[in-house]
Amino acid sequence: MIRWLRLWAITQKELRQLARDRLTFGMVVMIPLIQLLLFGYAINTDVRHIPVGLLDMSRTADARLLVEAVKATQVVSIARHYEGVDQAESALTRGEVRAVLVLPADLPRRLGEGRPVGQWLVDGSDTLIASALLGLRSMPLTELDARLTQPPVSLETVLYFNPSRRSAINIVPGLLGVILTMTMIMFTSAAIVRERERGNLELLITTPVTALELMLGKILPYIGVGLVQVAIILGLGHLIFAVPINGALSQVLLATLLFIAASLTLGLLISTLAQTQLQAMQMTVFVLLPSILLSGFMFPYEGMPVPAQWVAELLPATHFMRIIRGIVLRGGELASLWQDALWLGGFAAIVLLLAAHRFKKSLD
């Protein structure tokens, strides 16, 4: 038989405890708020202003008119100009642009004959971006269409790196970033807190171990764990889904080590901020949600509003997505993706120092 008075007393106790636990109370409000803002504001599959390059070998008024028509669609934005096909292909490999519009020298003659007037060289590793660019193959353009025997103006399209547009080729390398973010941060976010809850922190206080040594000792074992996960994902992805590994494995290893270091140090910083393992897990959620949704794993970076892109640039997962897809799918090298690599290395070093600074060898 339920005693309503006792039930109400226990309910009041839980409500007061929840009110005192500010982090848990904040999670109740912030998780739905963050998801609402991310899905309603930042996530957008209608991609606009995709950065593309231009290789204009015609340099005629017709070419300029065609370029202006392409820009008027607002699907793409001309970000680079190139002088040769090799230069354009190299830019695609580095991820400098998502596509290159090639206008041949005989463009006026092609207009008169009704033939395709140019060619899109498209990075097909992101299927959503590729689909948006494929929509530009035919465009209504009155001034040029009047000169065609078979209007409208048409452009050929060549898909690089994923000509069949299989989603698995794009997802599997990106899955590395998601799983490593989830596991590496989760493992280390509770590292210091766990020592405190088990009473082991008292033993550490009596040792000559420095804060930095403790931080490094906490993350080193998990580097091996991360590498095992990478081997599983890429190995099975290659065997089961035929995902190509176009880059050198040494480059994959170096990129992965940088990202693992960045994720582990971020987890350690969270561990120095949290008082309990539950709080550490709750704080980890605030990193995981944006990392999955804003890093480019599920939704194109180009489709996000500028403020959301600023947030995405602060996340290690965003930079790793670019690097790992550039190496695995496009056959790039870490040196050509040095900006993202430098960011990951700098992030890991700075956050490790912050975590060591915040850790105090005391029971408080």
Side-chain angles (χ1 to χ4, degrees):
M1 178 100 183
I2 296 177
R3 297 285 184 174
W4 296 106
L5 191 60
R6 292 190 301 225
L7 178 60
W8 174 241
I10 294 297
T11 303
Q12 282 184 311
K13 169 191 171 297
E14 289 300 316
L15 289 173
R16 288 171 183 167
Q17 186 172 338
L18 177 62
R20 286 195 297 267
D21 189 349
R22 295 181 180 178
L23 184 59
T24 301
F25 186 76
M27 292 283 291
V28 173
V29 177
M30 292 304 296
I31 286 183
L33 180 60
I34 290 174
Q35 292 200 42
L36 175 65
L37 292 176
L38 288 178
F39 281 99
Y41 175 66
I43 304 306
N44 181 17
T45 57
D46 186 16
V47 187
R48 289 288 182 268
H49 304 295
I50 302 170
V52 301
L54 175 63
L55 172 55
D56 184 3
M57 294 180 285
S58 173
R59 302 184 185 278
T60 61
D62 290 334
R64 290 191 292 272
L65 189 61
L66 181 59
V67 170
E68 289 302 317
V70 170
K71 291 164 63 176
T73 65
Q74 297 187 6
V75 175
V76 301
S77 177
I78 305 295
R80 296 283 190 278
H81 290 78
Y82 302 109
E83 299 298 326
V85 175
D86 291 342
Q87 189 181 16
E89 290 178 337
S90 178
L92 286 176
T93 300
R94 296 193 306 271
E96 187 174 279
V97 291
R98 293 302 191 111
V100 177
L101 175 60
V102 180
L103 301 179
D106 62 343
L107 185 147
R109 188 178 68 185
R110 287 170 175 263
L111 282 169
E113 296 174 354
R115 297 160 56 196
V117 296
Q119 189 177 61
W120 279 108
L121 309 180
V122 180
D123 174 6
S125 60
D126 190 320
T127 52
L128 284 176
I129 295 291
S131 297
L133 290 168
L134 286 174
L136 298 178
R137 285 180 295 187
S138 297
M139 300 180 301
L141 189 61
T142 304
E143 294 184 45
L144 293 182
D145 286 347
R147 298 170 50 188
L148 297 177
T149 57
Q150 295 179 348
V153 171
S154 63
L155 297 164
E156 295 178 338
T157 303
V158 178
L159 287 175
Y160 285 65
F161 317 123
N162 185 13
S164 57
R165 289 197 289 163
R166 292 195 299 119
S167 58
I169 291 180
N170 181 57
I171 288 175
V172 170
L175 196 60
L176 280 176
V178 172
I179 291 179
L180 288 175
T181 298
M182 189 178 302
T183 55
M184 296 296 100
I185 295 179
M186 192 173 295
F187 286 160
T188 54
S189 64
I192 303 299
V193 179
R194 186 168 55 245
E195 299 289 358
R196 181 182 294 111
E197 289 184 345
R198 292 178 178 177
N200 294 338
L201 199 57
E202 296 178 1
L203 298 175
L204 290 174
I205 292 173
T206 62
T207 68
V209 176
T210 65
L212 186 58
E213 290 170 347
L214 178 62
M215 298 293 110
L216 291 173
K218 286 290 182 184
I219 66 176
L220 285 176
Y222 296 111
I223 293 177
V225 174
L227 293 178
V228 169
Q229 291 179 327
V230 171
I232 292 173
I233 295 170
L234 285 184
L236 292 181
H238 182 69
L239 291 174
I240 298 175
F241 301 106
V243 175
I245 304 177
N246 296 318
L249 291 179
S250 60
Q251 299 293 302
V252 174
L253 176 63
L254 290 174
T256 303
L257 287 174
L258 281 175
F259 181 61
I260 288 176
S263 299
L264 290 176
T265 53
L266 181 56
L268 278 178
L269 181 61
I270 292 174
S271 187
T272 64
L273 295 169
Q275 297 299 315
T276 65
Q277 292 191 62
L278 177 60
Q279 286 185 353
M281 293 300 105
Q282 291 171 337
M283 294 172 70
T284 300
V285 172
F286 284 104
V287 179
L288 291 180
L289 278 177
S291 295
I292 293 173
L293 298 176
L294 298 182
S295 63
F297 170 64
M298 296 177 62
F299 306 99
Y301 177 88
E302 289 79 6
M304 303 175 193
V306 174
Q309 291 181 355
W310 291 343
V311 175
E313 288 296 329
L314 297 176
L315 301 170
T318 302
H319 300 272
F320 182 66
M321 292 289 177
R322 294 173 186 158
I323 293 175
I324 199 64
R325 283 173 174 162
I327 295 174
V328 172
L329 301 183
R330 301 195 297 268
E333 296 183 352
L334 204 58
S336 64
L337 302 163
W338 66 269
Q339 291 177 317
D340 292 303
L342 181 62
W343 194 97
L344 286 177
F347 180 91
I350 292 172
V351 175
L352 178 61
L353 292 176
L354 284 175
H357 177 72
R358 281 199 53 84
F359 174 73
K360 296 191 175 17
K361 292 172 60 175
S362 68
L363 293 177
D364 296 333

